[in-house]
Amino acid sequence: MQLLILDALNLIRRLYAVQEQQHQDSDAALAATSAALTHAATRLLRQFQPSHVVAVFDGAPQGFRHHLYPDYKANRKPMPAPLAGYLGQLQQDLWALGIDALLSDTDEADDLIATLARTLSRHGKPSVIVSTDKGFCQLLNPHIQLWDHFKQQALTASLAEQQFDLSIAQLVDYWALTGVSGSAIKGVPSIGPKRAHALLTRWHSLDQLLAELPSEEKSEALNKEHSTVLKHQQQALLARQLVKLVDDIELGFNLQDLRHHSSTKG
């Protein structure tokens, strides 16, 4: 089996942004988005020929991350009202292609996606996550790949490790140190990508870094950055908790419920 997972709002919002620029009339932009989504989903089904497929939507505006950190995603532009009111129709468009929608009142779409992909991976089954969100790179392994529909590019674990020059296992700690601006997650002050990379190359993980004290054996610059992380360790640990995807949500349904039946297959 192979599961195709659509990060639905990631896909829809990008399709709508294009149509909004091309159509001054809101109704026309929405109708064009509907057509574009149907075209994109049909293409994805033909490309991957999945045995199972699901479109995961965000149904939890205030999940556990908002309670831990009220500024979480505070810098995100809200969904345009016309599009928000049209999501039901877009879900129906996907349903017509044999793609069911998954959303939760309590869990973010990213965590639902992580749970689906990791559940299959533990059983040696492949899944493809359709999204431009690099946060999913932390999930990549031989059974999970990330597909950018707009660039028509696959991102595998080996390619991501080449891009970041870090192991997949280090990415959450890397983002804990640098922060994630797109989600308004603050990392450690003055620790950017280059310094975070140097720290993780030396200590391999945030836990190992925090367990050791600065010493004369290391360079002055490295000691200074190490001390900075130690000083702001609570901020780093919070950032890690916010960045790390939850992969053990009780889904309440059988994966066989996601089996795909459609004329686009075959």
Side-chain angles (χ1 to χ4, degrees):
M1 69 168 289
Q2 175 177 251
L3 175 63
L4 180 67
I5 308 171
L6 307 185
D7 183 2
L9 293 186
N10 177 275
L11 178 62
I12 288 168
R13 291 192 68 161
R14 280 160 177 75
L15 293 173
Y16 179 75
V18 172
Q19 301 306 326
E20 193 178 28
Q21 289 181 346
Q22 296 179 354
H23 300 85
Q24 292 185 347
D25 179 69
S26 176
D27 289 342
L30 292 171
T33 300
S34 176
L37 178 62
T38 297
H39 180 268
T42 300
R43 180 175 182 177
L44 287 163
L45 291 171
R46 287 176 175 160
Q47 279 181 309
F48 293 102
Q49 296 288 300
S51 59
H52 297 69
V53 61
V54 65
V56 184
F57 285 79
D58 252 322
Q62 296 290 322
F64 79 91
R65 292 180 180 87
H66 288 92
H67 295 294
L68 284 173
Y69 182 60
D71 287 338
Y72 177 63
K73 292 187 176 180
N75 57 348
R76 291 273 179 103
K77 288 177 62 177
M79 184 182 301
L83 180 60
Y86 198 69
L87 289 180
Q89 176 57 51
L90 296 175
Q91 290 175 1
Q92 288 300 313
D93 293 337
L94 293 172
W95 178 255
L97 297 173
I99 304 174
D100 203 355
L102 172 63
L103 65 162
S104 165
D105 292 333
T106 55
D107 302 299
E108 287 188 63
D110 292 359
D111 297 321
L112 294 171
I113 290 170
T115 296
L116 286 164
R118 281 261 172 86
T119 298
L120 262 70
S121 177
R122 293 182 192 111
H123 293 88
K125 304 296 184 182
S127 59
V128 178
I129 301 169
V130 180
S131 181
T132 60
D133 186 347
K134 291 298 189 289
F136 288 121
C137 287
Q138 64 185 275
L139 303 176
L140 296 176
N141 65 30
H143 303 296
I144 302 172
Q145 69 167 290
L146 190 58
W147 177 258
D148 186 331
H149 170 74
F150 300 96
K151 292 182 178 179
Q152 288 291 295
Q153 288 181 352
L155 188 58
T156 61
S158 59
L159 288 173
E161 289 179 340
Q162 289 176 28
Q163 284 187 15
F164 287 97
D165 195 22
L166 293 168
S167 71
I168 295 299
Q170 290 176 304
L171 291 181
V172 169
D173 286 350
Y174 172 77
W175 290 319
L177 292 168
T178 64
V180 180
S181 59
S183 297
I185 298 173
K186 296 178 181 178
V188 176
S190 80
I191 303 297
K194 187 175 180 180
R195 290 175 176 175
H197 182 274
L199 289 167
L200 290 173
T201 299
R202 170 64 178 81
W203 279 279
H204 307 296
S205 74
L206 179 59
D207 288 335
Q208 289 184 45
L209 188 157
L210 294 177
E212 188 178 320
L213 294 175
S215 70
E216 294 181 0
E217 297 176 6
K218 296 180 285 296
S219 68
E220 182 179 348
L222 204 56
N223 264 327
K224 181 180 179 182
E225 291 158 9
H226 186 185
S227 297
T228 298
V229 177
L230 290 174
K231 180 181 178 181
H232 298 277
Q233 64 176 300
Q234 293 307 315
Q235 192 164 314
L237 291 172
L238 173 61
R240 183 169 69 177
Q241 192 174 2
L242 297 171
V243 168
K244 184 176 176 59
L245 295 175
V246 177
D247 64 0
D248 58 356
I249 296 169
E250 184 62 48
L251 295 173
F253 62 86
N254 193 301
L255 283 173
Q256 291 306 312
D257 296 334
L258 305 180
R259 179 169 290 279
H260 185 238
H261 304 281
S262 172
S263 59
T264 56
K265 247 189 112 186

